[in-house]
Protein backbone atom coordinates (compact mmCIF):
# COMPACT_ATOMS: atom_id res chain seq x y z
CA UNK A 1 0.00 0.00 0.00
CA UNK A 2 1.42 3.40 -0.98
CA UNK A 3 1.93 6.32 1.39
CA UNK A 4 -0.76 8.14 -0.57
CA UNK A 5 -3.28 5.41 0.17
CA UNK A 6 -2.29 5.42 3.84
CA UNK A 7 -2.80 9.17 4.02
CA UNK A 8 -6.20 8.83 2.35
CA UNK A 9 -7.29 6.14 4.81
CA UNK A 10 -6.06 8.17 7.78
CA UNK A 11 -7.96 11.22 6.55
CA UNK A 12 -11.11 9.16 6.01
CA UNK A 13 -10.81 7.65 9.49
CA UNK A 14 -10.35 11.08 11.05
CA UNK A 15 -13.39 12.40 9.20
CA UNK A 16 -15.54 9.49 10.33
CA UNK A 17 -14.31 9.76 13.92
CA UNK A 18 -15.50 13.37 14.05
CA UNK A 19 -19.02 12.37 13.01
CA UNK A 20 -21.38 11.42 15.88
CA UNK A 21 -22.92 8.56 13.88
CA UNK A 22 -19.66 6.64 13.43
CA UNK A 23 -17.03 5.01 15.56
CA UNK A 24 -13.61 4.18 14.14
CA UNK A 25 -11.70 1.12 15.36
CA UNK A 26 -7.99 0.81 14.73
CA UNK A 27 -6.00 -2.42 14.56
CA UNK A 28 -3.61 -3.08 17.42
CA UNK A 29 0.04 -2.76 16.46
CA UNK A 30 3.14 -3.79 18.45
CA UNK A 31 4.62 -0.94 20.48
CA UNK A 32 7.80 -0.27 22.44
CA UNK A 33 6.07 1.88 25.08
CA UNK A 34 2.83 3.72 25.71
CA UNK A 35 4.01 6.65 27.82
CA UNK A 36 7.34 8.42 28.08
CA UNK A 37 9.24 7.66 31.30
CA UNK A 38 9.54 10.38 33.90
CA UNK A 39 13.08 11.63 34.65
CA UNK A 40 12.76 10.44 38.25
CA UNK A 41 10.68 7.84 40.03
CA UNK A 42 10.56 4.11 40.58
CA UNK A 43 9.62 1.55 37.98
CA UNK A 44 8.60 -2.08 38.35
CA UNK A 45 8.29 -5.05 36.04
CA UNK A 46 4.99 -6.56 35.00
CA UNK A 47 4.24 -9.53 32.79
CA UNK A 48 1.03 -10.01 30.85
CA UNK A 49 0.18 -13.65 30.26
CA UNK A 50 -2.33 -15.78 28.40
CA UNK A 51 -2.73 -19.50 27.85
CA UNK A 52 -4.63 -21.69 25.43
CA UNK A 53 -5.43 -25.14 26.77
CA UNK A 54 -6.90 -28.48 25.76
CA UNK A 55 -9.98 -27.75 27.89
CA UNK A 56 -11.33 -26.22 31.08
CA UNK A 57 -10.29 -28.90 33.59
CA UNK A 58 -7.42 -27.35 35.53
CA UNK A 59 -6.42 -30.71 37.00
CA UNK A 60 -6.28 -32.78 33.81
CA UNK A 61 -6.21 -30.50 30.75
CA UNK A 62 -2.92 -29.06 29.54
CA UNK A 63 -1.46 -25.85 28.16
CA UNK A 64 -1.01 -25.92 24.39
CA UNK A 65 0.06 -22.29 23.96
CA UNK A 66 1.66 -19.90 26.44
CA UNK A 67 2.29 -16.24 25.68
CA UNK A 68 4.08 -13.78 27.96
CA UNK A 69 5.27 -10.22 27.48
CA UNK A 70 7.29 -8.23 29.95
CA UNK A 71 6.76 -4.51 30.47
CA UNK A 72 7.99 -1.80 32.80
CA UNK A 73 5.60 0.54 34.62
CA UNK A 74 5.98 3.46 37.01
CA UNK A 75 4.24 4.27 40.29
CA UNK A 76 1.46 6.09 38.41
CA UNK A 77 0.61 2.96 36.42
CA UNK A 78 2.10 4.29 33.19
CA UNK A 79 3.65 1.69 30.88
CA UNK A 80 7.02 3.16 29.92
CA UNK A 81 8.65 0.17 28.23
CA UNK A 82 7.35 -2.94 26.47
CA UNK A 83 9.48 -6.02 25.83
CA UNK A 84 9.26 -8.64 23.12
CA UNK A 85 6.41 -11.14 23.23
CA UNK A 86 7.35 -14.75 23.80
CA UNK A 87 5.02 -17.48 22.59
CA UNK A 88 5.48 -21.21 23.03
CA UNK A 89 3.34 -24.09 21.88
CA UNK A 90 3.33 -27.48 23.50
CA UNK A 91 2.28 -30.91 22.35
CA UNK A 92 -0.25 -32.22 24.91
CA UNK A 93 0.32 -35.82 23.85
CA UNK A 94 -3.33 -36.29 22.93
CA UNK A 95 -5.50 -35.25 20.00
CA UNK A 96 -7.24 -31.92 20.36
CA UNK A 97 -10.99 -31.70 20.70
CA UNK A 98 -12.31 -30.28 17.37
CA UNK A 99 -13.94 -27.46 19.33
CA UNK A 100 -10.54 -26.40 20.69
CA UNK A 101 -9.12 -26.44 17.16
CA UNK A 102 -11.97 -24.23 15.99
CA UNK A 103 -11.66 -21.88 18.97
CA UNK A 104 -7.88 -21.42 18.97
CA UNK A 105 -6.88 -22.13 15.38
CA UNK A 106 -4.24 -24.53 16.70
CA UNK A 107 -4.07 -28.01 15.17
CA UNK A 108 -2.48 -31.29 16.14
CA UNK A 109 0.06 -30.82 13.37
CA UNK A 110 1.05 -27.37 14.63
CA UNK A 111 1.66 -28.73 18.14
CA UNK A 112 3.49 -31.91 17.23
CA UNK A 113 6.83 -32.17 19.11
CA UNK A 114 6.52 -28.57 20.37
CA UNK A 115 7.54 -27.79 23.96
CA UNK A 116 7.58 -24.74 26.23
CA UNK A 117 11.04 -23.32 26.90
CA UNK A 118 10.88 -23.74 30.68
CA UNK A 119 14.14 -21.92 31.36
CA UNK A 120 13.20 -18.77 29.45
CA UNK A 121 9.61 -18.84 30.72
CA UNK A 122 10.93 -19.07 34.28
CA UNK A 123 13.37 -16.18 33.74
CA UNK A 124 10.60 -13.92 32.46
CA UNK A 125 7.93 -14.84 35.02
CA UNK A 126 10.30 -14.87 38.00
CA UNK A 127 11.41 -11.32 37.16
CA UNK A 128 7.86 -9.98 37.47
CA UNK A 129 6.71 -7.82 40.34
CA UNK A 130 3.20 -8.61 39.13
CA UNK A 131 1.76 -11.13 36.64
CA UNK A 132 -1.47 -9.99 34.98
CA UNK A 133 -3.96 -12.17 33.14
CA UNK A 134 -7.47 -11.46 31.89
CA UNK A 135 -9.03 -14.32 33.86
CA UNK A 136 -6.31 -15.21 36.31
CA UNK A 137 -8.55 -17.69 38.09
CA UNK A 138 -8.35 -19.80 34.92
CA UNK A 139 -4.77 -19.11 33.82
CA UNK A 140 -2.89 -19.27 37.11
CA UNK A 141 -3.66 -22.88 38.07
CA UNK A 142 -2.50 -24.07 34.65
CA UNK A 143 0.73 -22.06 34.89
CA UNK A 144 1.43 -23.08 38.49
CA UNK A 145 1.03 -26.74 37.55
CA UNK A 146 3.14 -26.51 34.39
CA UNK A 147 5.84 -24.21 35.85
CA UNK A 148 5.87 -24.91 39.60
CA UNK A 149 9.09 -22.94 40.07
CA UNK A 150 7.17 -19.66 39.67
CA UNK A 151 4.48 -20.47 42.21
CA UNK A 152 4.01 -17.78 44.82
CA UNK A 153 4.39 -14.79 42.50
CA UNK A 154 1.79 -12.02 42.88
CA UNK A 155 -0.99 -12.13 40.28
CA UNK A 156 -3.74 -9.69 39.29
CA UNK A 157 -6.84 -10.25 37.19
CA UNK A 158 -7.76 -7.49 34.76
CA UNK A 159 -11.16 -9.09 34.20
CA UNK A 160 -12.38 -9.59 37.77
CA UNK A 161 -10.70 -6.92 39.89
CA UNK A 162 -11.52 -3.54 38.31
CA UNK A 163 -15.07 -2.23 38.61
CA UNK A 164 -15.53 -1.86 34.86
CA UNK A 165 -18.96 -0.26 35.13
CA UNK A 166 -17.58 2.37 37.50
CA UNK A 167 -14.73 3.00 35.04
CA UNK A 168 -17.21 3.75 32.24
CA UNK A 169 -17.26 0.39 30.43
CA UNK A 170 -19.93 -2.23 29.94
CA UNK A 171 -19.06 -5.92 30.06
CA UNK A 172 -15.66 -7.30 30.94
CA UNK A 173 -14.61 -9.56 28.05
CA UNK A 174 -11.19 -8.50 26.79
CA UNK A 175 -12.17 -7.96 23.15
CA UNK A 176 -15.27 -5.96 24.16
CA UNK A 177 -13.29 -3.74 26.52
CA UNK A 178 -10.63 -3.11 23.87
CA UNK A 179 -13.32 -2.26 21.31
CA UNK A 180 -14.65 0.38 23.69
CA UNK A 181 -11.17 1.91 23.77
CA UNK A 182 -11.21 2.21 19.96
CA UNK A 183 -9.15 -0.84 18.97
CA UNK A 184 -9.71 -4.26 17.44
CA UNK A 185 -7.68 -7.46 17.05
CA UNK A 186 -8.00 -11.12 16.19
CA UNK A 187 -8.83 -12.94 19.42
CA UNK A 188 -8.40 -16.46 20.78
CA UNK A 189 -4.68 -16.59 20.12
CA UNK A 190 -2.45 -16.05 23.10
CA UNK A 191 -0.05 -13.59 21.44
CA UNK A 192 -2.87 -11.34 20.26
CA UNK A 193 -4.56 -11.47 23.65
CA UNK A 194 -1.49 -10.25 25.55
CA UNK A 195 -1.03 -7.35 23.14
CA UNK A 196 -4.68 -6.43 23.60
CA UNK A 197 -4.25 -6.62 27.36
CA UNK A 198 -1.28 -4.23 27.23
CA UNK A 199 -3.34 -1.73 25.24
CA UNK A 200 -6.17 -2.03 27.74
CA UNK A 201 -3.88 -1.54 30.75
CA UNK A 202 -2.30 1.55 29.16
CA UNK A 203 -5.68 3.10 28.30
CA UNK A 204 -6.21 6.53 29.86
CA UNK A 205 -9.27 7.15 32.02
CA UNK A 206 -10.94 10.41 33.05
CA UNK A 207 -8.74 12.16 35.58
CA UNK A 208 -5.53 11.20 33.86
CA UNK A 209 -5.09 7.75 35.43
CA UNK A 210 -4.64 4.51 33.51
CA UNK A 211 -6.49 1.22 33.73
CA UNK A 212 -3.28 -0.28 35.11
CA UNK A 213 -3.26 2.26 37.95
CA UNK A 214 -6.78 1.20 38.91
CA UNK A 215 -5.84 -2.47 38.71
CA UNK A 216 -2.82 -1.89 40.96
CA UNK A 217 -5.11 -0.28 43.55
CA UNK A 218 -7.39 -3.32 43.48
CA UNK A 219 -4.53 -5.80 43.62
CA UNK A 220 -2.94 -4.18 46.65
CA UNK A 221 -6.12 -4.13 48.75
CA UNK A 222 -6.15 -6.76 51.51
CA UNK A 223 -8.93 -9.29 51.33
CA UNK A 224 -10.11 -12.52 52.92
CA UNK A 225 -11.14 -15.90 51.61
CA UNK A 226 -14.19 -17.00 53.55
CA UNK A 227 -14.53 -20.77 53.81
CA UNK A 228 -17.97 -21.87 54.96
CA UNK A 229 -16.64 -25.12 56.41
CA UNK A 230 -19.29 -27.59 57.62
CA UNK A 231 -22.11 -25.31 56.49
CA UNK A 232 -25.48 -27.11 56.61
CA UNK A 233 -26.53 -28.68 53.31
CA UNK A 234 -29.80 -26.75 53.31
CA UNK A 235 -27.84 -23.44 53.22
CA UNK A 236 -26.35 -24.17 49.79
CA UNK A 237 -28.86 -22.02 47.88
CA UNK A 238 -28.27 -19.07 50.21
CA UNK A 239 -24.52 -19.38 49.82
CA UNK A 240 -24.68 -19.72 46.05
CA UNK A 241 -26.95 -16.68 45.76
CA UNK A 242 -24.46 -14.65 47.81
CA UNK A 243 -21.58 -15.49 45.47
CA UNK A 244 -20.03 -18.49 47.18
CA UNK A 245 -18.55 -21.23 44.99
CA UNK A 246 -18.38 -24.91 45.81
CA UNK A 247 -14.90 -26.35 46.27
CA UNK A 248 -15.38 -29.98 45.27
CA UNK A 249 -11.92 -31.07 46.42
CA UNK A 250 -12.17 -29.54 49.90
CA UNK A 251 -15.97 -29.89 50.10
CA UNK A 252 -16.94 -26.43 51.32
CA UNK A 253 -18.33 -23.18 49.92
CA UNK A 254 -16.02 -20.18 49.69
CA UNK A 255 -15.74 -16.65 48.36
CA UNK A 256 -13.31 -13.74 48.57
CA UNK A 257 -14.36 -10.53 50.29
CA UNK A 258 -12.80 -7.14 50.95
CA UNK A 259 -11.29 -6.52 54.35
CA UNK A 260 -13.96 -3.91 55.07
CA UNK A 261 -16.69 -6.54 54.61
CA UNK A 262 -15.23 -9.02 57.08
CA UNK A 263 -17.43 -8.15 60.06
CA UNK A 264 -20.65 -7.98 58.08
CA UNK A 265 -20.00 -11.22 56.20
CA UNK A 266 -19.20 -13.09 59.42
CA UNK A 267 -22.39 -11.79 61.03
CA UNK A 268 -24.46 -12.88 58.01
CA UNK A 269 -22.98 -16.38 58.03
CA UNK A 270 -23.49 -16.82 61.76
CA UNK A 271 -27.11 -15.66 61.52
CA UNK A 272 -28.29 -17.09 58.20
CA UNK A 273 -26.12 -20.18 57.70
CA UNK A 274 -24.72 -21.52 60.96
CA UNK A 275 -27.42 -20.29 63.37
CA UNK A 276 -25.06 -20.76 66.30
CA UNK A 277 -23.74 -24.17 65.22
CA UNK A 278 -20.22 -23.68 63.91
CA UNK A 279 -18.39 -20.77 62.29
CA UNK A 280 -16.57 -19.95 59.05
CA UNK A 281 -12.82 -19.79 58.51
CA UNK A 282 -11.40 -16.47 57.28
CA UNK A 283 -7.98 -16.56 55.63
CA UNK A 284 -6.06 -13.38 54.67
CA UNK A 285 -5.36 -13.19 50.94
CA UNK A 286 -2.73 -11.16 49.09
CA UNK A 287 -1.88 -11.03 45.40
CA UNK A 288 0.52 -13.92 46.00
CA UNK A 289 -2.28 -16.27 47.09
CA UNK A 290 -5.09 -14.90 44.96
CA UNK A 291 -6.39 -17.21 42.19
CA UNK A 292 -4.47 -20.22 43.51
CA UNK A 293 -6.63 -23.29 43.10
CA UNK A 294 -7.27 -24.89 46.49
Amino acid sequence: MTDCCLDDHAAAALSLARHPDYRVLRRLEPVERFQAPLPIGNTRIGVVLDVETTGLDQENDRIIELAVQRFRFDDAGRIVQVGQPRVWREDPGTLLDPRIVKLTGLTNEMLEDQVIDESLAFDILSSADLIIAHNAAFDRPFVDRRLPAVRGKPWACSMAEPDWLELGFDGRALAHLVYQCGWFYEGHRAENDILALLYLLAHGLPGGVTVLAKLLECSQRPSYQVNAIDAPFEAKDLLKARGYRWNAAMRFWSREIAQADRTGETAWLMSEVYAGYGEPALIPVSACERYVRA
Side-chain angles (χ1 to χ4, degrees):
M1 187 178 293
T2 66
D3 291 342
C4 180
C5 289
L6 288 173
D7 290 342
D8 289 344
H9 290 156
L14 181 60
S15 178
L16 284 172
R18 289 172 173 169
H19 196 287
D21 293 340
Y22 296 91
R23 171 176 287 182
V24 175
L25 298 179
R26 291 175 169 83
R27 184 185 299 274
L28 300 183
E29 299 289 347
V31 294
E32 295 183 355
R33 69 184 186 191
F34 288 94
Q35 290 95 14
L38 297 174
I40 57 173
N42 297 320
T43 61
R44 288 175 283 169
I45 293 175
V47 172
V48 286
L49 175 149
D50 187 64
V51 300
E52 302 295 344
T53 66
T54 56
L56 304 179
D57 187 337
Q58 295 167 337
E59 296 296 331
N60 298 302
D61 283 311
R62 297 184 61 182
I63 293 174
I64 54 176
E65 190 171 58
L66 168 65
V68 298
Q69 191 162 5
R70 194 157 31 190
F71 66 95
R72 189 173 291 277
F73 63 97
D74 63 16
D75 291 337
R78 301 160 68 253
I79 297 178
V80 299
Q81 186 179 3
V82 175
Q84 293 296 315
R86 302 286 183 177
V87 183
W88 300 282
R89 296 171 183 168
E90 184 153 87
D91 189 340
T94 58
L95 294 179
L96 297 178
D97 186 307
R99 292 171 297 181
I100 298 298
V101 174
K102 186 174 182 179
L103 177 67
T104 65
L106 296 170
T107 66
N108 296 299
E109 293 74 21
M110 294 166 66
L111 298 177
E112 187 174 3
D113 297 328
Q114 296 295 302
V115 65
I116 292 170
D117 184 337
E118 293 186 22
S119 177
L120 183 53
F122 171 77
D123 286 345
I124 293 172
L125 292 172
S126 64
S127 72
D129 294 297
L130 186 65
I131 299 171
I132 302 174
H134 199 76
N135 194 0
F138 177 80
D139 293 341
R140 179 168 190 170
F142 279 103
V143 173
D144 281 354
R145 182 159 60 94
R146 179 62 184 85
L147 300 168
V150 297
R151 288 177 181 171
K153 297 296 294 185
W155 282 65
C157 182
S158 53
M159 181 181 75
E161 293 182 38
D163 186 337
W164 287 111
L165 185 62
E166 183 68 23
L167 296 181
F169 294 79
D170 67 84
R172 59 179 192 167
L174 180 59
H176 187 56
L177 292 168
V178 170
Y179 292 160
Q180 292 174 78
C181 298
W183 306 95
F184 75 94
Y185 70 104
E186 304 297 328
H188 296 302
R189 290 301 299 273
E191 183 174 1
N192 293 340
D193 284 343
I194 59 172
L195 179 61
L197 181 50
L198 280 172
Y199 269 79
L200 180 62
L201 295 173
H203 180 69
L205 299 168
V209 300
T210 64
V211 168
L212 177 57
K214 291 294 185 180
L215 178 59
L216 292 173
E217 288 179 12
C218 296
S219 178
Q220 292 163 5
R221 291 173 188 158
S223 62
Y224 284 87
Q225 179 176 311
V226 185
N227 297 332
I229 298 172
D230 295 329
F233 175 79
E234 55 270 21
K236 64 182 179 65
D237 291 335
L238 279 174
L239 290 164
K240 187 175 181 179
R242 197 168 175 88
Y244 283 78
R245 299 180 64 182
W246 176 248
N247 186 318
M250 303 300 293
R251 302 193 64 77
F252 56 68
W253 294 87
S254 66
R255 68 174 295 203
E256 188 174 334
I257 62 170
Q259 185 179 43
D261 298 330
R262 177 182 178 182
T263 301
E265 191 67 18
T266 302
W268 180 85
L269 285 165
M270 296 300 292
S271 172
E272 302 296 326
V273 174
Y274 289 102
Y277 298 94
E279 59 182 343
L282 279 76
I283 303 170
V285 176
S286 72
C288 293
E289 298 88 28
R290 206 164 283 140
Y291 311 115
V292 173
R293 187 177 177 87

